[in-house]
Amino acid sequence: MKPRTPPDSPLLFQAVPLVPDFRLELKARKAGHWPVAGADEAGRGPLAGPVVAAAVILDPKRIPEGLNDSKQLSAQRREELFVQILATATVSIASSSSTRIDETDIRKASLDAMRRAICGLAIPASYVLTDGLDVPPGLDCPGQAVVKGDARSVSIAAASIVAKVTRDRMMARVHRVFPDYGFAAHVGYGTPQHRAGIEKHGPCSLHRMSFRPLRKVEDGPEMDELISE
């Protein structure tokens, strides 16, 4: 087989990282929808703890600089932006406990937390941009699900930061109650430290018993414990 000739313009073929902006919000505004909220969740994948959702309506004149997908930011930068978002935007936060996750499933629990966060906004949203594939059912306004939304919309990015920081703080606090699992270090994900704690001490009330390796029933489809946030 004849070897391929390297492209003469390699930069044209390299993936360019997405940077969130305000275009989706402005598009909704042009269509007559205002204000526009961004919504996202954190904590779909861990073996323990709640899934936390946030909804954010940004002030177009006071958008914090550096908003991005929370996973692309350091913990320190997330904390800094968290403070700025709360000082300049309308924010609502809701969560679904491990018990609710076990009673339904992680997708339904995540969407319900997102719905409650959106409905809890002090200023009702006229339109909602959500991260992922689904718009929560039961909203009083239309919405759009945006794949990789936290890398495309600054409103969704802001919500992802608020949800992530809130959940991390919650898990740091519960570490004081259940220190045997190391929640402050891994915030509930299935790390070797966490799995060793479960093996030695058994699960606690925060663990999601419907997730492998915790669930007792071995048959059936795999759960979503390894899905990233």
Side-chain angles (χ1 to χ4, degrees):
M1 180 181 293
K2 184 178 180 180
R4 295 181 60 186
T5 302
D8 57 0
S9 302
L11 291 178
L12 296 177
F13 299 90
Q14 292 179 358
V16 177
L18 291 174
V19 178
D21 55 37
F22 206 62
R23 283 184 290 181
L24 290 173
E25 291 85 344
L26 292 177
K27 181 179 179 180
R29 184 174 188 172
K30 187 176 181 180
H33 301 294
W34 196 257
V36 176
D40 200 0
E41 46 73 27
R44 284 178 67 100
L47 300 178
V51 59
V52 176
V56 176
I57 298 176
L58 292 172
D59 181 343
K61 298 179 180 179
R62 303 174 69 194
I63 298 176
E65 293 185 7
L67 292 176
N68 204 344
D69 172 4
S70 62
K71 297 185 290 298
Q72 302 300 319
L73 303 171
S74 67
Q76 178 179 346
R77 187 60 180 143
R78 286 196 298 265
E79 289 281 350
E80 294 169 352
L81 286 168
F82 178 85
V83 173
Q84 294 178 38
I85 294 165
L86 265 59
T88 59
T90 301
V91 177
S92 176
I93 304 168
S95 65
S96 290
S97 69
S98 55
T99 299
R100 180 162 182 79
I101 292 169
D102 287 340
E103 290 175 346
T104 55
D105 58 50
I106 186 60
R107 177 179 172 274
K108 291 178 182 177
S110 298
L111 289 175
D112 185 62
M114 197 179 294
R115 177 191 62 79
R116 286 183 281 115
I118 295 166
C119 293
L121 287 163
I123 301 173
S126 177
Y127 197 80
V128 176
L129 300 170
T130 64
D131 182 49
L133 300 173
D134 302 295
V135 175
L139 298 179
D140 294 328
C141 65
Q144 176 185 354
V146 183
V147 176
K148 296 188 182 297
D150 45 12
R152 296 176 59 189
S153 158
V154 285
S155 297
I156 298 176
S160 77
I161 292 167
V162 171
K164 171 64 173 169
V165 171
T166 300
R167 188 179 186 280
D168 285 357
R169 290 182 177 186
M170 293 170 70
M171 296 307 292
R173 289 188 178 185
V174 301
H175 174 80
R176 304 173 188 174
V177 182
F178 301 103
D180 296 325
Y181 305 96
F183 287 137
H186 52 67
V187 298
Y189 281 91
T191 63
Q193 177 192 11
H194 188 187
R195 291 173 183 264
I198 296 172
E199 184 175 352
K200 182 177 180 180
H201 303 284
C204 72
S205 58
L206 294 178
H207 282 102
R208 303 174 181 180
M209 299 306 296
S210 57
F211 278 28
R212 292 184 187 272
L214 293 164
R215 68 179 187 180
K216 297 178 180 179
V217 180
E218 295 297 330
D219 296 329
E222 288 282 350
M223 299 299 291
D224 291 339
E225 72 269 27
L226 298 182
I227 295 177
S228 60
E229 284 188 307

